[in-house]
Amino acid sequence: MADKDKVVIFDTTLRDGEQSPGFTMNIKEKIMLADQLIKLGVDVIEAGFPIASDGDFEAVKMIADRARGVQIAGLARANEKDIDVAWNAIKGAENPRIHTFISSSDIHIVHQFKKTREEVLNIAVDAVTQGKSFTNNVEFSPMDATRSDPVYLAEMVHAVIQAGAVTVNIPDTVGYAIPSDFNRLIRYLFEHVPNINDAIISVHCHNDLGLAVANSLAAIEAGARQIECTVNGIGERAGNTAMEEIVMAIRTREDLFHVHTDINTRQIVPTSRLLSNITGVSVQPNKAIVGGNAFAHESGIHQDGLLKNAMTYEIMKPEDVGISKSTLVLGKHSGRHAVLDRLASLGFTLDKEETDRFFRLFKALADSKKEVFDEDLMVLVGEAFFKGEDQRRYKVENVQISTGMFSPPMAMVTIKDRKKGSAEQFEVAHGNGGVDAGVIAVKKITGTTAHITSFNLVAITGGSDAVAEVHCTVAEEYEGKELKAFGSSANIDVSIAGIHSFVDALNKLEYMKMAGQRGREIMNGVNGKV
Ligand code: KIV
Ligand code: ZN
């Protein structure tokens, strides 16, 4: 027996979505996305418009032939050739669906087709009848339904259901509807089409006024039980109903809608990311459900509430959409609670004096930086612990690198060692590149037994003159234990940044040796996380 509370999710990312500028996909990409849509649990995949091109036909056919556990729809205009071609593309599917359409609005009938209402009605019925000769699973769409005369629309819906359409889709083709009047239109059809219960009523909303999801929800309230939607809301012009938004609205407000979908919501974000990766078009950070900021909080008041109970500022669990956890973005709006919580999660517990010093340093940094990352916090912890005094043992006085295609990279490094009365020491070394040569020279000068365990390079500005930021971790045996230290530096020259970050890490190792057990615990915490 049909579940009257189930909303069928009809995904048209590969058809309406793919036909919009910037979202074209090749066959391999379409197959990859179709596989993911199956994992996501959509009920129907509209795989394409087979008559549109040989490539479209091929892609629909390949998806139909391999996809299992999902219905595969092929779109066809209401004419013999389109329907034949669509059937040939989808007939290998486990459950193929022909989706045929023709406009019901006078604007289209008169100006585009130059036909009468009666002619169009007959074409619609003939198309459904032809589709039924291939499969029982025929869907019909009266295009531009929301600008059609409701009386004529009801007549057409009645006629196509009588001809055998098992799904009738009411498209808001130009995104003209407003939730209240779309709800009225769907109710009108339920009240005036005598055989309406013989079909599932679907809606297909475009987002020209930013109302596609709201209109789809209004239609569900009026009795619609299929939603046509796309991943990330892509589609013609301003796009279609966003799958992730409609699914999570239904789920989050089940108390209101009393319906459900079979979507595995944990696959929502992976699906969204896959589409962005394939098309190279990312979603805006504030996009509902799947945007980078959708589960990120920066306000101090919100962060404080969330840490006490996630319900205070979150209506959905990030895990439910496939994100491991919410992020508290640390920046100038963050409060002490959030910052200290992040420190604790990184393994640090500071005493009152250290905390006060740390928080002052944090605020100063946050004022000059959009976002404070874990690496920044670690550096600040080190500084807070060492009271900001300059206790660095080694100071790099000069670095000169020479390299070329036919000469081995060479570094000349001069360092002052405070333990040796700040005398300048100089070494030359060759290596596999400028950084390696410099590190070897530094090792010769300092005699350190520390070795680099990680080395990360990030370009923090763009262009060939980008500033390079280098983070490195070093490890050294000390009193039977392994000490680890984290160093960082930024410079326009990557080799110089690399050498400075190595020396910075060596200085921290020296701090740790001086700092006794407590200092080593803190600093090892700093470095162990990097
Ligand atoms: O927007 C529309 O009307 C369509 C139909 C083909 C359903 O995409
Ligand atoms: Zn559309």
Side-chain angles (χ1 to χ4, degrees), residues 329-358:
V329 176
L330 298 184
K332 65 178 178 184
H333 304 294
S334 302
R336 212 175 164 93
H337 188 174
V339 177
L340 295 183
D341 185 78
R342 177 70 64 82
L343 274 190
S345 77
L346 292 169
F348 310 123
T349 332
L350 304 183
D351 66 21
K352 168 91 179 57
E353 202 193 324
E354 288 157 359
T355 303
D356 290 344
R357 220 166 24 238
F358 171 83

Side-chain angles (χ1 to χ4, degrees), residues 293-308:
N293 287 354
F295 292 90
H297 307 263
E298 189 179 333
S299 136
I301 297 170
H302 291 200
Q303 292 185 340
D304 179 62
L306 272 165
L307 289 164
K308 290 172 177 151

